[in-house]
Amino acid sequence: MHYYDLHAHSVASDDSRATVEQYLKWIGTLRRRGVDIDGIVLTEHRQFSLDVDYSALAREFGVTVLKGAELDTRYGHFLVYGITADLVRKIDPTDVTMDPFRLMDAAEATGGIAIPAHPGRAGIGLAAWMADGIEFPQVSIVEALNGGNRPEEAAAAERLVAERGYSGIGGSDAHFVSAIARCVTGFSSPISSEGELVEALRADEFTAVRTEDTQHA
């Protein structure tokens, strides 16, 4: 299996204290401890820059670094992967009241995918909105494992996945260095681009994993 942290925030997000380089150095430490981790996806809050390039850092540390975003909507937060210039033209990443159904449709239409983040989290998670009677027919994948969840939030996400039969991804939701890769997503094949990530997600070729379960002797 190949393991990727699909939810991480660097100092580009207003509430994170970690640089991308610090994350990659810490991943080297984790690898020396026997943890399998192949890459990360930077999902900065309410923004996406097509011009930012992490390829030199990725080569230096031997870690795949991809880009996505965590966007606010009127019905919670969504992780968006495969973002293109076309998608950026269709939505305003800074709009915290955007329509999540429009976001999911726009992502799909432009070759991307939008997935509900931390669905068990009060106020910004899918489960709370569904409890209010709002249905999300476009959703088939949620963030099942989130390294920043409280126990009750993790339990709510677990119940939602079981009840609805959703597929689940894993991400650390890291905002500081040692939090990176606490939860990851395992893929049967390596992922080297945002396009390959979207293809694997759409093909349902993944599983959410806690970091300790990737550790080898």
Side-chain angles (χ1 to χ4, degrees):
M1 293 291 284
H2 303 268
Y3 298 105
Y4 300 83
D5 182 345
L6 299 191
H7 186 171
H9 300 279
S10 78
V11 289
S13 292
D14 55 10
D15 57 352
S16 174
R17 301 190 301 274
T19 67
V20 177
E21 183 173 358
Q22 286 171 331
Y23 278 145
L24 302 188
K25 286 180 178 178
W26 186 250
I27 286 171
T29 299
L30 293 176
R31 286 173 169 176
R32 288 189 291 274
R33 295 175 179 175
V35 174
D36 283 340
I37 173 70
D38 294 279
I40 63 174
V41 184
L42 296 164
T43 51
E44 310 296 4
H45 288 296
R46 300 174 297 279
Q47 61 183 287
F48 184 78
S49 174
L50 293 166
D51 299 325
V52 174
D53 184 357
Y54 296 108
S55 57
L57 274 176
R59 287 192 299 270
E60 179 181 352
F61 290 95
V63 179
T64 299
V65 181
L66 305 178
K67 297 186 299 180
E70 181 178 1
L71 303 183
D72 296 17
T73 79
R74 69 185 65 170
Y75 298 138
H77 292 189
F78 280 72
L79 297 167
V80 187
Y81 307 109
I83 298 174
T84 62
D86 193 17
L87 178 58
V88 173
R89 284 191 291 270
K90 290 178 181 291
I91 64 166
D92 176 4
T94 67
D95 179 9
V96 299
T97 64
M98 78 169 70
D99 182 336
F101 305 106
R102 181 172 175 270
L103 170 62
M104 287 185 279
D105 285 344
E108 177 77 18
T110 57
I113 190 169
I115 296 173
H118 35 65
R121 197 165 295 177
I124 55 173
L126 196 70
W129 293 106
M130 295 182 86
D132 285 341
I134 300 169
E135 291 296 322
F136 296 81
Q138 295 137 295
V139 172
S140 61
I141 306 169
V142 299
E143 187 182 38
L145 295 179
N146 178 294
N149 275 344
R150 297 183 177 92
E152 65 273 17
E153 295 168 343
E158 184 177 350
R159 286 194 302 272
L160 181 68
V161 168
E163 292 169 359
R164 295 283 178 157
Y166 291 144
S167 298
I169 62 172
S172 66
D173 200 359
H175 289 73
F176 55 92
V177 175
S178 62
I180 197 72
R182 284 183 176 173
C183 296
V184 294
T185 306
F187 297 90
S188 57
S189 299
I191 305 294
S192 60
S193 69
E194 284 88 4
E196 288 180 357
L197 174 60
V198 172
E199 288 179 8
L201 290 170
R202 287 182 174 170
D204 203 16
E205 298 174 349
F206 57 88
T207 185
V209 181
R210 298 187 188 281
T211 301
E212 56 264 30
D213 296 329
T214 76
Q215 197 159 3
H216 58 270

